Amino acid sequence: MIFFNYETDFQLVDEAKYEDWIEEIVTSEGLIAGDISYIFCDDEYLHEINVKYLDHDTLTDIISFDYCEGKIVSGDIFLSIERVRENAKEFNVSFDTELLRVMSHGVLHYCGYKDKSVEDERVMRSKEEEKMAMFHVEQ
């Protein structure tokens, strides 16, 4: 199941549409959606997690904790709504577009995609675009 939790005032509109989309991302990669939690928070909340669990004293837009087992995709994905807003401005895209990119990015990591090398990052960006386009297709 896909879960949405809020540690900020932000709320998704039509959670069911996002839930269907995330499940479709996972199944389109030949995997099975297990329990995937999205936790929407602010910079301070995510920074605390970054320092406490990853020993990184930086701001970030997303941190994911992977609990996948075999073909079952599960994990916790923390998203800073403040970073998503800033990234949207920086990349000159709408907030909604950037939110879809970051949400798909987190689950794509669970599907086996990386972004540490230039080639991995190119593949990840391509997959993000592919999966974002699926959001507009009626389920």
Side-chain angles (χ1 to χ4, degrees):
M1 290 195 59
I2 312 301
F3 303 96
F4 301 108
N5 304 285
Y6 304 95
E7 297 295 333
T8 184
D9 290 339
F10 171 80
Q11 293 274 314
L12 289 173
V13 176
D14 194 1
E15 286 184 352
K17 186 172 182 179
Y18 287 89
E19 187 177 330
D20 291 345
W21 173 62
I22 296 300
E23 287 182 8
E24 183 63 24
I25 289 174
V26 173
T27 58
S28 72
E29 293 293 325
L31 300 168
I32 300 162
D35 289 338
I36 302 170
S37 293
Y38 282 85
I39 301 93
F40 298 97
C41 56
D42 60 18
D43 280 347
E44 182 180 344
Y45 190 98
L46 196 54
H47 180 254
E48 214 172 281
I49 290 170
N50 211 6
V51 169
K52 184 175 182 178
Y53 295 103
L54 303 176
D55 201 25
H56 297 157
D57 190 10
T58 58
L59 293 176
T60 187
D61 53 358
I62 183 171
I63 294 175
S64 58
F65 294 94
D66 184 335
Y67 310 130
C68 298
E69 292 184 15
K71 292 189 133 222
I72 300 173
V73 174
S74 299
D76 293 328
I77 300 171
F78 293 82
L79 299 173
S80 168
I81 294 302
E82 288 175 277
R83 285 301 96 219
V84 171
R85 282 196 180 101
E86 288 297 317
N87 289 348
K89 287 179 192 172
E90 182 180 332
F91 301 132
N92 199 31
V93 297
S94 72
F95 171 81
D96 291 338
T97 296
E98 184 62 9
L99 181 64
L100 291 178
R101 185 190 69 77
V102 177
M103 288 179 74
S104 65
H105 183 92
V107 80
L108 284 167
H109 273 305
Y110 299 160
C111 295
Y113 295 95
K114 309 287 183 223
D115 58 2
K116 296 298 180 197
S117 73
V118 172
E119 178 59 18
D120 286 347
E121 189 172 329
R122 185 192 65 72
V123 171
M124 175 66 88
R125 294 297 167 254
S126 175
K127 280 293 182 177
E128 288 169 359
E129 293 295 325
E130 173 189 317
K131 303 312 181 186
M132 288 166 59
M134 291 168 48
F135 186 77
H136 303 289
V137 175
E138 290 302 315
Q139 302 295 323

